[in-house]
Amino acid sequence: MALISKARSRVLAFAAVATTTLAPGFAAPAAASPIEYMETATGSGTLNGTAFTNDLITITAFADTTGVITVMPAPGGFFVNPGGVATVTVSGVGSDTLPNAVVFVIQGPPLGPSAGFADSVQNLAILDTVDSAFSTYALNTAIGPITGPNFGQSSTATGSGGSFQILSPPGLVNSTFTAVPGPVVGAGLPGLILAGSGLLGWWRRRQKVA
């Protein structure tokens, strides 16, 4: 439980910069390839003011591999893809768009290997999956389904119709992350969210804590 509590305190410091130009020092793959990221879990929480208990949660993002940004290079790297359109669906409750959601993978300790979704404004994870399979994964290929532990009690993600949050106790939620080739929805969105220098600051602070 100590490990879970320590991991649950992590912060994904996405110092977002709204721009359509890649910032110097951040690399993206040259070849475009549509990709669909999906993460599922059974848990409890709220969606737009409606509480749910032990229901299926599905978060999906349609994006392109050209949107993948290298924050820290492999091995032990940190990669994000902020260029997709993400939605969350809770079985029996409904669905909503998550306009601030980004997909991330952390290949090494102290916060990985893990992959999932984060809110770039709240600077916190929404839902993530921990598994050694992510130690060499960089968001630009298919993977999974990979099932592993999740930290539970996530940040409050902003939704188009309100907000979404997982309130399951830490250590009691397993999740599954999958990436498959897929169509691009919303390609060319203005104001592509890029990870800025705050990501590096977060990375260094968390390494010191660990």
Side-chain angles (χ1 to χ4, degrees), residues 1 25 54 162 197:
M1 292 302 294
N54 295 330
S197 59

Short mmCIF file of all heavy atoms in Angstrom, two decimals, residues 1 25 54 162 197:
data_model
loop_
_atom_site.label_atom_id
_atom_site.label_comp_id
_atom_site.label_asym_id
_atom_site.label_seq_id
_atom_site.Cartn_x
_atom_site.Cartn_y
_atom_site.Cartn_z
N MET A 1 0.81 -1.21 0.00
CA MET A 1 0.00 0.00 0.00
C MET A 1 0.84 1.25 0.00
O MET A 1 0.45 2.28 -0.53
CB MET A 1 -0.93 0.00 1.22
CG MET A 1 -2.02 -1.06 1.15
SD MET A 1 -3.08 -0.91 -0.31
CE MET A 1 -3.87 0.65 0.04
N GLY A 25 13.55 21.08 -29.95
CA GLY A 25 13.93 20.05 -28.99
C GLY A 25 12.88 18.98 -28.80
O GLY A 25 13.12 18.00 -28.11
N ASN A 54 -18.91 0.91 -9.94
CA ASN A 54 -18.46 -0.34 -10.57
C ASN A 54 -19.02 -0.50 -11.98
O ASN A 54 -19.54 -1.56 -12.35
CB ASN A 54 -18.86 -1.55 -9.70
CG ASN A 54 -18.15 -1.56 -8.37
OD1 ASN A 54 -17.02 -1.08 -8.25
ND2 ASN A 54 -18.81 -2.10 -7.35
N GLY A 162 -19.23 18.98 -18.62
CA GLY A 162 -19.03 19.07 -17.18
C GLY A 162 -17.65 18.56 -16.80
O GLY A 162 -16.63 19.16 -17.15
N SER A 197 8.45 23.19 -21.09
CA SER A 197 9.55 22.96 -20.17
C SER A 197 9.07 22.44 -18.83
O SER A 197 9.81 21.81 -18.09
CB SER A 197 10.34 24.25 -19.96
OG SER A 197 9.49 25.26 -19.44
#
